[in-house]
């Protein structure tokens, strides 16, 4: 069934807006706007799996809706270079017929992803700057400067035949941005006074009071750390935190230390940012990571990945004294300069414990102001609504409680003059000049990605991985007489990764006999069909393990017909 079957028929020209991700969840932001024959997509983000999805590296939105409309997809617009906005570009790009618009830094961060996926797309990446306007079919698309936790971020205004629609992207109001590039209040206000049909606005921090504050605010805390630390300073951050890198580089220059970028993410991004002029490192301040060992600790700052306790990141290796170049000493200080993403606390705590064991000092957000959010708090989000004064307001980027709260705040700010639409992924919102309503539903979902090339993972693979991870592997090797279905000898049972305890040990010892009994309880017909008997042994032996040991290993019977 085509998704269009469920839609109410429009009368007259309408604008249709549908989010395939980013509503009632954090991450994988992707929104499609279409008018007539033109469809444009804003952002193509991913989200990262929690630990209950073993072996899954990335999650992207289900792109079925866009596949159905691929002939109409005229452009992809990117608001900024965070993974939850650009991570799915390689998966979406083959469906896009036209260019990809973004600021130079955003596009520079997309480029390596395309190369990694073997995609030819370089000439389709079209750099824009704030206040540029491009025409794509029925849309005139305008870019507006916003401030966030990294440079070169834009909001997007779509001038459509039914009115202006603004998508804020991620933003906060930083009035003293590190790069001096100011939030474009004026243009937002101008559009607001022209009349804006709909505003789609970031809800991430709606439940925080006041203002989020400038990136500059962390300087004081870092000055204290630079003053007090006798040895190395190691700072873990998100690899896209270019502003934070700049701030540390400046402090390092001031305190006569040198900066080493340790870990793939921070070195790649710092190189991109330097090449494009977004990160300025005075001559002589940067050092190679391989030189860290030979330098006195008091002369060194390491900027590194691993603020979320990711086991393969540089900081985790450093914490367990297993890093090639960086060894912690007891006069070193390690700073976690990032928010702990919910779900990562345990991993982060573990890394902190290892660091403490090395004797180094650990500092994180709760102790000193070493991190500031890139998303606007309640007052900044109110300001956006006041500037734009939209006819319709749609909160985006947040779980249900953030969207609902943002909706309530918007109603208060506009005194009920704005209609608020709280939508879900897949809700098709239809706008005319006068009206806006949810008019249908398109297919949505999540696609689990394993590695960068190997493609999608089904539920079955996940189930198997779970069994493997938690229960180990049991392989009964069974010889069966092709004609009679009689088991030849006692099946050998090989195990890997099964925990040996009072309950599993006797079970494994007797497993051969148990398998024989399972097979003998079957009919000859079943026994002489390798496919059937394999499944029977798998299910029954798994059940015996579960009942007698409480464990659920992955059982993979090997049937040899004799
Ligand atoms: Zn962002
Ligand atoms: Zn985001």
């Amino acid at each position: 069934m085509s998704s269009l079957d469920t839609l109410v028929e429009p009368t007259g020209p309408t604008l249709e807006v549908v989010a395939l991700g980013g509503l009632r969840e954090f991450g994988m932001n992707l929104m499609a706007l279409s008018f007539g024959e033109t469809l444009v997509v804003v952002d193509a983000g991913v989200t990262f799996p929690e630990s209950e999805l073993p072996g899954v590296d990335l999650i992207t939105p289900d792109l079925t809706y866009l596949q159905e409309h691929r002939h109409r997809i005229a452009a992809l617009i990117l608001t900024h270079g965070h993974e939850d906005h650009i991570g799915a570009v390689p998966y979406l790009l083959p469906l896009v017929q036209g260019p990809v618009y973004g600021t130079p830094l955003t596009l520079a961060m997309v480029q390596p992803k395309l190369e990694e996926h073997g995609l030819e797309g370089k000439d389709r990446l079209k750099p824009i700057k704030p206040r540029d306007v491009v025409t794509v079919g029925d849309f005139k698309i305008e870019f507006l400067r916003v401030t966030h936790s990294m440079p070169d971020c834009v909001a997007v205004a779509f001038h459509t035949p039914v009115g202006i629609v603004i998508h804020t992207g991620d933003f906060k109001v930083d009035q003293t941005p590190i790069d001096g590039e100011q939030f474009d209040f004026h243009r937002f206000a101008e559009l607001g006074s022209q009349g804006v049909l709909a505003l789609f606005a970031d809800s991430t921090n709606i439940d925080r009071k006041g203002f989020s504050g400038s990136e500059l605010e962390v300087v004081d805390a870092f000055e204290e750390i630079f003053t007090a630390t006798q040895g190395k300073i190691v700072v873990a951050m998100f690899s896209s935190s270019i502003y934070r890198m700049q701030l540390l580089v400046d402090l390092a220059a001031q305190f006569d230390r040198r900066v080493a970028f340790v870990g793939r993410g921070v070195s790649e991004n710092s190189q991109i940012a330097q090449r494009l002029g977004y990160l300025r490192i005075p001559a002589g301040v940067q050092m190679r990571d391989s030189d860290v060992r030979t330098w006195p600790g008091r002369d060194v700052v390491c900027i590194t990945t691993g603020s979320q306790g990711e086991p393969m990141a540089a900081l985790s290796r450093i914490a367990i004294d297993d890093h090639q170049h960086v060894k912690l000493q007891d006069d070193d200080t390690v700073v976690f300069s990032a928010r702990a993403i919910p779900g990562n606390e345990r991993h982060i705590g573990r890394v902190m414990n290892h660091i403490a064991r090395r004797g180094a000092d650990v500092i994180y957000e709760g102790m000193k102001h070493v991190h500031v959010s890139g998303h606007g708090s309640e007052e900044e989000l109110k300001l956006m609504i006041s500037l734009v004064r939209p006819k319709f307001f749609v909160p985006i980027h947040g779980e249900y409680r953030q969207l609902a709260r943002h909706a309530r705040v918007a109603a208060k700010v506009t005194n009920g003059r704005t209609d608020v639409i709280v939508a879900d992924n897949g809700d098709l919102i239809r706008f005319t000049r006068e009206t806006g309503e949810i008019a249908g539903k398109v297919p949505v979902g999540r696609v689990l990605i394993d590695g960068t090339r190997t493609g999608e993972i089904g539920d079955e693979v996940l189930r198997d991985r779970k069994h493997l991870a938690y229960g180990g592997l049991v392989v009964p090797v069974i010889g069966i007489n092709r004609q009679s279905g009689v088991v030849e000898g006692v099946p050998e049972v090989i195990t890997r990764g099964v925990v040996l305890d009072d309950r599993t040990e006797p079970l494994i010892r007797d497993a051969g006999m148990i398998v024989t009994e399972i097979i003998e309880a079957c009919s000859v017909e079943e026994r002489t069909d390798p496919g059937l008997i394999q499944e029977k042994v798998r299910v029954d032996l798994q059940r015996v393990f579960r009942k007698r040991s409480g464990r659920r290993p992955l059982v993979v019977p090997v049937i040899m017909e004799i």
Side-chain angles (χ1 to χ4, degrees):
M1 188 184 81
S2 156
S3 60
L4 287 169
D5 296 347
T6 57
L7 304 182
V8 184
E9 270 310 302
T11 50
T14 61
L15 170 73
E16 292 176 346
V17 182
V18 57
L20 300 185
L23 298 187
R24 307 194 184 180
E25 67 186 352
F26 284 111
M28 57 182 220
N29 302 299
L30 192 159
M31 185 174 282
L33 294 88
S34 64
F35 189 95
E37 277 310 295
T38 312
L39 190 154
V40 294
V41 178
V42 187
D43 286 340
V46 293
T47 193
F48 296 96
E50 287 169 20
S51 51
E52 76 261 26
L53 296 172
V56 175
D57 297 316
L58 284 180
I59 303 174
T60 71
D62 185 329
L63 301 177
T64 304
Y65 169 74
L66 293 176
Q67 258 141 16
E68 287 172 6
H69 295 272
R70 58 185 301 167
H71 59 285
R72 296 201 291 139
I73 307 177
L76 169 60
I77 317 286
L78 301 173
T79 60
H80 66 290
H82 278 150
E83 286 299 314
D84 57 325
H85 299 260
I86 64 167
V89 170
Y91 305 94
L92 177 62
L93 195 63
L95 303 179
V96 180
Q97 315 299 326
V100 179
Y101 294 108
T103 58
L105 182 60
T106 307
L107 296 183
M109 293 178 87
V110 167
Q111 182 63 40
K113 294 182 193 300
L114 302 187
E115 278 158 23
E116 216 173 283
H117 286 253
L119 286 170
E120 293 285 331
K122 203 172 175 180
D123 45 345
R124 293 171 62 187
L125 304 181
K126 302 287 182 208
I128 52 86
K129 50 185 196 310
R131 297 233 175 173
D132 277 358
V133 180
V134 297
T135 302
V136 179
D138 290 313
F139 295 93
K140 278 199 175 11
I141 302 171
E142 179 182 1
F143 302 90
L144 292 84
R145 164 97 57 200
V146 292
T147 45
H148 186 37
S149 53
M150 68 182 293
D152 234 7
C153 302
V154 289
V156 189
F158 296 89
H159 299 258
T160 81
V162 295
I164 300 169
V165 172
I166 295 180
H167 183 300
T168 66
D170 287 352
F171 77 98
K172 69 171 170 182
V173 177
D174 188 337
Q175 303 197 66
T176 51
I178 305 254
D179 55 10
E181 297 287 356
Q182 300 281 348
F183 191 103
D184 197 350
F185 298 104
H186 302 93
R187 190 58 191 149
F188 278 101
E190 272 173 17
L191 291 171
S193 59
Q194 279 175 35
V196 168
L197 178 67
L199 171 66
F200 290 76
D202 180 13
S203 311
T204 306
N205 275 350
I206 186 66
D207 36 23
R208 297 196 191 176
K209 290 274 169 219
F211 288 83
S212 288
S214 170
E215 289 293 309
L216 266 186
E217 281 185 7
V218 300
V219 169
D220 290 350
F222 276 107
E223 268 178 356
E224 282 172 31
I225 293 166
F226 272 72
T227 307
T229 303
Q230 302 293 318
K232 278 191 295 297
I233 298 171
V234 178
V235 184
M237 63 176 68
F238 288 117
S239 59
S240 57
S241 303
I242 312 290
Y243 284 144
R244 194 94 16 112
M245 290 178 190
Q246 182 68 61
L247 205 139
L248 288 168
V249 165
D250 294 347
L251 279 172
Q254 187 187 327
F255 281 81
D256 225 1
R257 287 179 182 252
R258 303 208 168 188
V259 175
F261 293 93
V262 181
R264 188 174 151 222
V266 287
S267 10
E268 268 182 16
N269 285 344
S270 67
Q271 278 165 27
I272 291 173
Q274 276 189 80
R275 200 177 67 227
L276 297 175
Y278 294 95
L279 177 63
R280 287 168 305 276
I281 305 185
V285 171
Q286 188 169 359
M287 68 189 293
R288 286 210 309 253
D289 57 353
S290 52
D291 291 339
V292 170
R293 276 183 102 157
T294 56
W295 277 65
R298 63 172 184 279
D299 293 339
V300 176
V301 179
C302 298
I303 293 177
T304 180
T305 52
S307 66
Q308 301 304 308
E310 306 94 315
M312 297 314 288
L315 186 64
S316 296
R317 312 313 307 173
I318 294 169
I320 57 170
D321 209 15
D322 184 35
H323 195 274
Q324 268 188 287
H325 307 310
V326 184
K327 301 267 170 226
L328 286 180
Q329 314 290 340
D330 53 12
D331 53 359
D332 295 345
T333 299
V334 179
V335 185
F336 286 73
S337 182
R339 176 179 76 105
I341 293 174
N344 293 341
E345 294 91 345
R346 257 187 31 237
H347 299 283
I348 296 170
R350 227 163 27 217
V351 173
M352 287 181 178
N353 287 334
H354 287 299
I355 294 167
R357 244 175 242 133
R358 308 267 87 74
D361 200 8
V362 180
I363 292 175
Y364 53 93
E365 203 186 353
M367 302 163 65
K368 273 186 199 294
H369 195 30
V370 288
H371 174 66
V372 53
S373 174
H375 296 271
S377 297
E378 185 177 331
E379 296 306 318
E380 289 150 284
L381 301 184
K382 283 180 181 167
L383 182 60
M384 176 62 82
I385 298 165
S386 300
L387 285 171
V388 173
R389 296 185 302 195
K391 200 175 176 64
F392 294 95
F393 177 72
V394 186
I396 57 173
H397 302 174
E399 293 187 17
Y400 193 84
R401 63 182 187 279
Q402 279 90 26
L403 303 187
R405 180 159 176 78
H406 204 180
R408 266 201 308 281
V409 167
K412 217 183 275 173
V413 170
T414 63
N415 221 343
R417 280 191 299 273
T418 289
D419 279 325
V420 179
I421 301 172
V422 178
D424 196 356
N425 288 333
D427 282 347
L428 189 138
I429 310 173
R430 177 170 291 145
F431 293 101
T432 66
R433 276 176 196 285
E434 309 299 330
T435 63
E437 61 185 0
I438 296 173
K441 187 93 187 165
V442 311
V444 279
R446 312 198 305 164
V447 178
L448 312 177
I449 308 285
D450 181 0
T452 47
R453 285 152 212 259
T454 41
E456 304 169 9
I457 307 172
D459 285 346
E460 257 167 68
V461 177
L462 270 187
R463 185 200 60 202
D464 287 352
R465 285 182 179 176
K466 237 181 252 180
H467 287 312
L468 265 178
Y470 298 121
L473 175 67
V474 175
V475 183
V477 183
I478 306 156
I480 291 186
N481 185 294
R482 195 191 302 261
Q483 270 82 41
S484 63
V486 171
V487 180
E488 305 277 353
V490 177
E492 198 192 342
V493 179
I494 302 159
T495 68
R496 288 286 181 275
V498 179
V499 175
L500 289 179
D501 58 24
D502 317 359
R503 292 188 297 173
T504 51
E505 257 192 270
L507 198 51
I508 290 168
R509 201 176 50 235
D510 297 335
M513 285 312 297
I514 297 168
V515 170
T516 307
E517 281 164 27
I518 291 170
I519 297 169
E520 277 172 358
C522 297
S523 65
V524 176
E525 207 172 70
E526 245 178 321
R527 277 184 269 155
T528 50
D529 181 330
L532 282 180
I533 199 67
Q534 192 183 29
E535 182 63 5
K536 176 81 179 160
V537 170
R538 187 183 73 79
V539 171
D540 283 9
L541 190 59
Q542 219 154 38
R543 185 181 305 137
V544 172
F545 263 90
R546 195 175 60 232
K547 270 194 183 156
R548 293 209 206 157
S549 72
R551 300 189 186 276
R552 297 158 179 260
L554 179 66
V555 177
V556 185
V558 176
I559 309 291
M560 295 188 299
E561 291 180 274
I562 293 161

